[in-house]
Amino acid sequence: MVMMFDLKRIKKFQDSFGIHFNNQDLLITALTHSSFINDFYQGNDVDLESNETLEFLGDAVIGMIVSKLLYDMFPKWNEGSLTKAKASIVSGSNLAKLSNQFELAQYIYMGKGEENSGGRTRTSNLANAFESLIGALFIDKGYDSCFDVIQKSINEDIKLLKNNSESDEIFGNYKGTLQEKLLSEKSNLPIYKVVSIQGPDHNPSFTVEVYINGKCLGLGVEKTKLLAEQRAAFNALNNPKTFSN
């Protein structure tokens, strides 16, 4: 399969990622969106898979490792607090942010239609690519390599959780925390705007932006409007521009 793809491109990604795969086909599969196969190889006798099954595996691996990190980092938190923290870290918008740390978007193989419709910036594609990458890494290198990558990737998320905890309990209400901090600095209160609602009625995806002093300082993409607002507030709290004068 490797010879069907740009080897220089694959090597460049591995150099930037800092890990070189033993099985190059696994990495290629992790970077292959289903639209690429539909556009270029549908009906052809080609042994090529999309990243969907690796995404399934990666989702489980990420969940397990994030759970372990939170369990070790916050030993006095109760189950509810740990569950909220995990949900925040493994949410689609946050995984897309982690994907951007490795500039995954430019390496994904996708069909022309998907790319022309904004596929390289679509949150779901970026999140799925990160999950697929971790799934491939788990098969190729094992648990320890995945643990190292995820631990480094979510370091800032862990710091933010620490900063928003009190008596070893997570606040969970990032909107309230953001508002309190802005009030303490005598700043204008945040304004939340729903910029899009996508997907079917039974499984919608809300995109919300939070504006402070007229500037968009946080974005959230979640399954409900409230969760998207909380995610936007979470990202605003983690944005150094939010509290800079």
PDB file of all heavy atoms in Angstrom, residues 176-200:
ATOM      1  N   GLY A 176     -19.513  29.899  34.861  1.00  0.00           N
ATOM      2  CA  GLY A 176     -19.519  30.633  36.119  1.00  0.00           C
ATOM      3  C   GLY A 176     -18.129  31.082  36.524  1.00  0.00           C
ATOM      4  O   GLY A 176     -17.933  32.209  36.992  1.00  0.00           O
ATOM      5  N   THR A 177     -17.150  30.195  36.328  1.00  0.00           N
ATOM      6  CA  THR A 177     -15.771  30.535  36.671  1.00  0.00           C
ATOM      7  C   THR A 177     -15.264  31.691  35.824  1.00  0.00           C
ATOM      8  O   THR A 177     -14.621  32.622  36.328  1.00  0.00           O
ATOM      9  CB  THR A 177     -14.854  29.312  36.468  1.00  0.00           C
ATOM     10  OG1 THR A 177     -15.340  28.225  37.256  1.00  0.00           O
ATOM     11  CG2 THR A 177     -13.426  29.629  36.879  1.00  0.00           C
ATOM     12  N   LEU A 178     -15.566  31.648  34.523  1.00  0.00           N
ATOM     13  CA  LEU A 178     -15.141  32.720  33.621  1.00  0.00           C
ATOM     14  C   LEU A 178     -15.775  34.043  34.026  1.00  0.00           C
ATOM     15  O   LEU A 178     -15.105  35.085  34.082  1.00  0.00           O
ATOM     16  CB  LEU A 178     -15.523  32.366  32.182  1.00  0.00           C
ATOM     17  CG  LEU A 178     -15.199  33.422  31.118  1.00  0.00           C
ATOM     18  CD1 LEU A 178     -13.699  33.690  31.048  1.00  0.00           C
ATOM     19  CD2 LEU A 178     -15.724  32.969  29.751  1.00  0.00           C
ATOM     20  N   GLN A 179     -17.061  34.013  34.331  1.00  0.00           N
ATOM     21  CA  GLN A 179     -17.757  35.243  34.707  1.00  0.00           C
ATOM     22  C   GLN A 179     -17.183  35.829  35.999  1.00  0.00           C
ATOM     23  O   GLN A 179     -16.976  37.046  36.106  1.00  0.00           O
ATOM     24  CB  GLN A 179     -19.251  34.968  34.877  1.00  0.00           C
ATOM     25  CG  GLN A 179     -20.065  36.200  35.243  1.00  0.00           C
ATOM     26  CD  GLN A 179     -21.554  35.977  35.071  1.00  0.00           C
ATOM     27  OE1 GLN A 179     -21.994  35.466  34.045  1.00  0.00           O
ATOM     28  NE2 GLN A 179     -22.334  36.350  36.074  1.00  0.00           N
ATOM     29  N   GLU A 180     -16.909  34.973  36.972  1.00  0.00           N
ATOM     30  CA  GLU A 180     -16.355  35.445  38.241  1.00  0.00           C
ATOM     31  C   GLU A 180     -14.991  36.102  38.044  1.00  0.00           C
ATOM     32  O   GLU A 180     -14.697  37.149  38.632  1.00  0.00           O
ATOM     33  CB  GLU A 180     -16.232  34.277  39.220  1.00  0.00           C
ATOM     34  CG  GLU A 180     -17.565  33.781  39.761  1.00  0.00           C
ATOM     35  CD  GLU A 180     -17.397  32.564  40.651  1.00  0.00           C
ATOM     36  OE1 GLU A 180     -16.234  32.198  40.931  1.00  0.00           O
ATOM     37  OE2 GLU A 180     -18.412  31.985  41.053  1.00  0.00           O
ATOM     38  N   LYS A 181     -14.155  35.496  37.214  1.00  0.00           N
ATOM     39  CA  LYS A 181     -12.820  36.055  36.985  1.00  0.00           C
ATOM     40  C   LYS A 181     -12.898  37.383  36.243  1.00  0.00           C
ATOM     41  O   LYS A 181     -12.126  38.311  36.525  1.00  0.00           O
ATOM     42  CB  LYS A 181     -11.960  35.051  36.214  1.00  0.00           C
ATOM     43  CG  LYS A 181     -11.569  33.836  37.045  1.00  0.00           C
ATOM     44  CD  LYS A 181     -10.519  32.987  36.345  1.00  0.00           C
ATOM     45  CE  LYS A 181     -10.045  31.861  37.256  1.00  0.00           C
ATOM     46  NZ  LYS A 181      -8.964  31.059  36.651  1.00  0.00           N
ATOM     47  N   LEU A 182     -13.826  37.487  35.297  1.00  0.00           N
ATOM     48  CA  LEU A 182     -13.981  38.741  34.564  1.00  0.00           C
ATOM     49  C   LEU A 182     -14.511  39.842  35.480  1.00  0.00           C
ATOM     50  O   LEU A 182     -14.079  40.998  35.402  1.00  0.00           O
ATOM     51  CB  LEU A 182     -14.919  38.542  33.369  1.00  0.00           C
ATOM     52  CG  LEU A 182     -14.359  37.678  32.229  1.00  0.00           C
ATOM     53  CD1 LEU A 182     -15.446  37.379  31.209  1.00  0.00           C
ATOM     54  CD2 LEU A 182     -13.173  38.367  31.558  1.00  0.00           C
ATOM     55  N   LEU A 183     -15.450  39.493  36.354  1.00  0.00           N
ATOM     56  CA  LEU A 183     -15.977  40.469  37.306  1.00  0.00           C
ATOM     57  C   LEU A 183     -14.887  40.961  38.251  1.00  0.00           C
ATOM     58  O   LEU A 183     -14.831  42.145  38.591  1.00  0.00           O
ATOM     59  CB  LEU A 183     -17.125  39.849  38.107  1.00  0.00           C
ATOM     60  CG  LEU A 183     -18.473  39.710  37.384  1.00  0.00           C
ATOM     61  CD1 LEU A 183     -19.445  38.898  38.227  1.00  0.00           C
ATOM     62  CD2 LEU A 183     -19.061  41.081  37.070  1.00  0.00           C
ATOM     63  N   SER A 184     -14.012  40.048  38.664  1.00  0.00           N
ATOM     64  CA  SER A 184     -12.937  40.430  39.583  1.00  0.00           C
ATOM     65  C   SER A 184     -11.961  41.399  38.924  1.00  0.00           C
ATOM     66  O   SER A 184     -11.292  42.177  39.603  1.00  0.00           O
ATOM     67  CB  SER A 184     -12.187  39.190  40.073  1.00  0.00           C
ATOM     68  OG  SER A 184     -11.440  38.592  39.026  1.00  0.00           O
ATOM     69  N   GLU A 185     -11.883  41.341  37.585  1.00  0.00           N
ATOM     70  CA  GLU A 185     -11.003  42.251  36.855  1.00  0.00           C
ATOM     71  C   GLU A 185     -11.768  43.453  36.297  1.00  0.00           C
ATOM     72  O   GLU A 185     -11.228  44.237  35.518  1.00  0.00           O
ATOM     73  CB  GLU A 185     -10.310  41.501  35.709  1.00  0.00           C
ATOM     74  CG  GLU A 185      -9.373  40.412  36.198  1.00  0.00           C
ATOM     75  CD  GLU A 185      -8.423  39.933  35.115  1.00  0.00           C
ATOM     76  OE1 GLU A 185      -8.540  40.411  33.971  1.00  0.00           O
ATOM     77  OE2 GLU A 185      -7.553  39.108  35.429  1.00  0.00           O
ATOM     78  N   LYS A 186     -13.050  43.562  36.696  1.00  0.00           N
ATOM     79  CA  LYS A 186     -13.915  44.658  36.250  1.00  0.00           C
ATOM     80  C   LYS A 186     -13.986  44.733  34.725  1.00  0.00           C
ATOM     81  O   LYS A 186     -13.973  45.808  34.123  1.00  0.00           O
ATOM     82  CB  LYS A 186     -13.427  45.991  36.829  1.00  0.00           C
ATOM     83  CG  LYS A 186     -13.475  46.032  38.356  1.00  0.00           C
ATOM     84  CD  LYS A 186     -13.021  47.374  38.905  1.00  0.00           C
ATOM     85  CE  LYS A 186     -13.100  47.380  40.428  1.00  0.00           C
ATOM     86  NZ  LYS A 186     -12.655  48.671  41.012  1.00  0.00           N
ATOM     87  N   SER A 187     -14.055  43.553  34.114  1.00  0.00           N
ATOM     88  CA  SER A 187     -14.165  43.454  32.661  1.00  0.00           C
ATOM     89  C   SER A 187     -15.620  43.228  32.279  1.00  0.00           C
ATOM     90  O   SER A 187     -16.463  42.898  33.120  1.00  0.00           O
ATOM     91  CB  SER A 187     -13.303  42.295  32.151  1.00  0.00           C
ATOM     92  OG  SER A 187     -13.418  42.147  30.762  1.00  0.00           O
ATOM     93  N   ASN A 188     -15.941  43.426  30.997  1.00  0.00           N
ATOM     94  CA  ASN A 188     -17.296  43.164  30.520  1.00  0.00           C
ATOM     95  C   ASN A 188     -17.612  41.676  30.629  1.00  0.00           C
ATOM     96  O   ASN A 188     -16.728  40.824  30.501  1.00  0.00           O
ATOM     97  CB  ASN A 188     -17.444  43.604  29.062  1.00  0.00           C
ATOM     98  CG  ASN A 188     -17.379  45.113  28.916  1.00  0.00           C
ATOM     99  OD1 ASN A 188     -17.748  45.849  29.825  1.00  0.00           O
ATOM    100  ND2 ASN A 188     -16.902  45.576  27.772  1.00  0.00           N
ATOM    101  N   LEU A 189     -18.886  41.361  30.837  1.00  0.00           N
ATOM    102  CA  LEU A 189     -19.296  39.967  30.948  1.00  0.00           C
ATOM    103  C   LEU A 189     -19.268  39.290  29.579  1.00  0.00           C
ATOM    104  O   LEU A 189     -19.433  39.945  28.547  1.00  0.00           O
ATOM    105  CB  LEU A 189     -20.701  39.882  31.548  1.00  0.00           C
ATOM    106  CG  LEU A 189     -20.825  40.348  33.002  1.00  0.00           C
ATOM    107  CD1 LEU A 189     -22.260  40.186  33.484  1.00  0.00           C
ATOM    108  CD2 LEU A 189     -19.876  39.576  33.904  1.00  0.00           C
ATOM    109  N   PRO A 190     -19.078  37.977  29.545  1.00  0.00           N
ATOM    110  CA  PRO A 190     -19.000  37.263  28.262  1.00  0.00           C
ATOM    111  C   PRO A 190     -20.358  37.184  27.565  1.00  0.00           C
ATOM    112  O   PRO A 190     -21.402  37.144  28.216  1.00  0.00           O
ATOM    113  CB  PRO A 190     -18.506  35.872  28.671  1.00  0.00           C
ATOM    114  CG  PRO A 190     -18.965  35.712  30.081  1.00  0.00           C
ATOM    115  CD  PRO A 190     -18.868  37.078  30.696  1.00  0.00           C
ATOM    116  N   ILE A 191     -20.313  37.157  26.256  1.00  0.00           N
ATOM    117  CA  ILE A 191     -21.515  36.993  25.433  1.00  0.00           C
ATOM    118  C   ILE A 191     -21.333  35.731  24.592  1.00  0.00           C
ATOM    119  O   ILE A 191     -20.327  35.579  23.893  1.00  0.00           O
ATOM    120  CB  ILE A 191     -21.733  38.207  24.508  1.00  0.00           C
ATOM    121  CG1 ILE A 191     -21.965  39.468  25.348  1.00  0.00           C
ATOM    122  CG2 ILE A 191     -22.911  37.967  23.569  1.00  0.00           C
ATOM    123  CD1 ILE A 191     -22.045  40.740  24.519  1.00  0.00           C
ATOM    124  N   TYR A 192     -22.307  34.814  24.663  1.00  0.00           N
ATOM    125  CA  TYR A 192     -22.229  33.552  23.942  1.00  0.00           C
ATOM    126  C   TYR A 192     -23.121  33.600  22.698  1.00  0.00           C
ATOM    127  O   TYR A 192     -24.276  34.022  22.775  1.00  0.00           O
ATOM    128  CB  TYR A 192     -22.651  32.388  24.842  1.00  0.00           C
ATOM    129  CG  TYR A 192     -21.744  32.200  26.037  1.00  0.00           C
ATOM    130  CD1 TYR A 192     -21.967  32.897  27.224  1.00  0.00           C
ATOM    131  CD2 TYR A 192     -20.650  31.346  25.974  1.00  0.00           C
ATOM    132  CE1 TYR A 192     -21.128  32.743  28.319  1.00  0.00           C
ATOM    133  CE2 TYR A 192     -19.803  31.180  27.063  1.00  0.00           C
ATOM    134  CZ  TYR A 192     -20.048  31.884  28.227  1.00  0.00           C
ATOM    135  OH  TYR A 192     -19.217  31.727  29.304  1.00  0.00           O
ATOM    136  N   LYS A 193     -22.572  33.185  21.570  1.00  0.00           N
ATOM    137  CA  LYS A 193     -23.317  33.193  20.314  1.00  0.00           C
ATOM    138  C   LYS A 193     -23.267  31.812  19.665  1.00  0.00           C
ATOM    139  O   LYS A 193     -22.186  31.238  19.491  1.00  0.00           O
ATOM    140  CB  LYS A 193     -22.729  34.224  19.344  1.00  0.00           C
ATOM    141  CG  LYS A 193     -22.848  35.672  19.822  1.00  0.00           C
ATOM    142  CD  LYS A 193     -22.270  36.632  18.791  1.00  0.00           C
ATOM    143  CE  LYS A 193     -22.383  38.082  19.254  1.00  0.00           C
ATOM    144  NZ  LYS A 193     -21.807  39.023  18.251  1.00  0.00           N
ATOM    145  N   VAL A 194     -24.441  31.290  19.308  1.00  0.00           N
ATOM    146  CA  VAL A 194     -24.505  30.039  18.549  1.00  0.00           C
ATOM    147  C   VAL A 194     -24.259  30.384  17.083  1.00  0.00           C
ATOM    148  O   VAL A 194     -25.047  31.096  16.467  1.00  0.00           O
ATOM    149  CB  VAL A 194     -25.871  29.346  18.706  1.00  0.00           C
ATOM    150  CG1 VAL A 194     -25.927  28.082  17.848  1.00  0.00           C
ATOM    151  CG2 VAL A 194     -26.136  29.007  20.166  1.00  0.00           C
ATOM    152  N   VAL A 195     -23.163  29.898  16.522  1.00  0.00           N
ATOM    153  CA  VAL A 195     -22.810  30.258  15.144  1.00  0.00           C
ATOM    154  C   VAL A 195     -23.256  29.202  14.138  1.00  0.00           C
ATOM    155  O   VAL A 195     -23.382  29.494  12.945  1.00  0.00           O
ATOM    156  CB  VAL A 195     -21.296  30.520  15.001  1.00  0.00           C
ATOM    157  CG1 VAL A 195     -20.898  31.735  15.818  1.00  0.00           C
ATOM    158  CG2 VAL A 195     -20.480  29.314  15.431  1.00  0.00           C
ATOM    159  N   SER A 196     -23.511  27.967  14.609  1.00  0.00           N
ATOM    160  CA  SER A 196     -24.024  26.952  13.688  1.00  0.00           C
ATOM    161  C   SER A 196     -24.603  25.775  14.463  1.00  0.00           C
ATOM    162  O   SER A 196     -24.204  25.505  15.599  1.00  0.00           O
ATOM    163  CB  SER A 196     -22.931  26.455  12.739  1.00  0.00           C
ATOM    164  OG  SER A 196     -22.004  25.628  13.413  1.00  0.00           O
ATOM    165  N   ILE A 197     -25.574  25.112  13.828  1.00  0.00           N
ATOM    166  CA  ILE A 197     -26.140  23.858  14.333  1.00  0.00           C
ATOM    167  C   ILE A 197     -26.132  22.891  13.160  1.00  0.00           C
ATOM    168  O   ILE A 197     -26.808  23.119  12.156  1.00  0.00           O
ATOM    169  CB  ILE A 197     -27.575  24.034  14.864  1.00  0.00           C
ATOM    170  CG1 ILE A 197     -27.624  25.117  15.947  1.00  0.00           C
ATOM    171  CG2 ILE A 197     -28.098  22.711  15.420  1.00  0.00           C
ATOM    172  CD1 ILE A 197     -29.037  25.434  16.419  1.00  0.00           C
ATOM    173  N   GLN A 198     -25.356  21.832  13.273  1.00  0.00           N
ATOM    174  CA  GLN A 198     -25.213  20.885  12.176  1.00  0.00           C
ATOM    175  C   GLN A 198     -25.632  19.491  12.613  1.00  0.00           C
ATOM    176  O   GLN A 198     -25.788  19.219  13.797  1.00  0.00           O
ATOM    177  CB  GLN A 198     -23.760  20.868  11.677  1.00  0.00           C
ATOM    178  CG  GLN A 198     -23.280  22.205  11.128  1.00  0.00           C
ATOM    179  CD  GLN A 198     -21.833  22.157  10.667  1.00  0.00           C
ATOM    180  OE1 GLN A 198     -21.043  21.371  11.162  1.00  0.00           O
ATOM    181  NE2 GLN A 198     -21.488  23.004   9.709  1.00  0.00           N
ATOM    182  N   GLY A 199     -25.810  18.620  11.634  1.00  0.00           N
ATOM    183  CA  GLY A 199     -26.153  17.236  11.922  1.00  0.00           C
ATOM    184  C   GLY A 199     -27.651  17.008  11.973  1.00  0.00           C
ATOM    185  O   GLY A 199     -28.448  17.955  11.965  1.00  0.00           O
ATOM    186  N   PRO A 200     -28.071  15.742  12.056  1.00  0.00           N
ATOM    187  CA  PRO A 200     -29.499  15.403  12.119  1.00  0.00           C
ATOM    188  C   PRO A 200     -30.116  15.812  13.448  1.00  0.00           C
ATOM    189  O   PRO A 200     -29.408  16.059  14.424  1.00  0.00           O
ATOM    190  CB  PRO A 200     -29.493  13.877  11.957  1.00  0.00           C
ATOM    191  CG  PRO A 200     -28.145  13.447  12.465  1.00  0.00           C
ATOM    192  CD  PRO A 200     -27.202  14.546  12.076  1.00  0.00           C
TER     193      PRO A 200
END
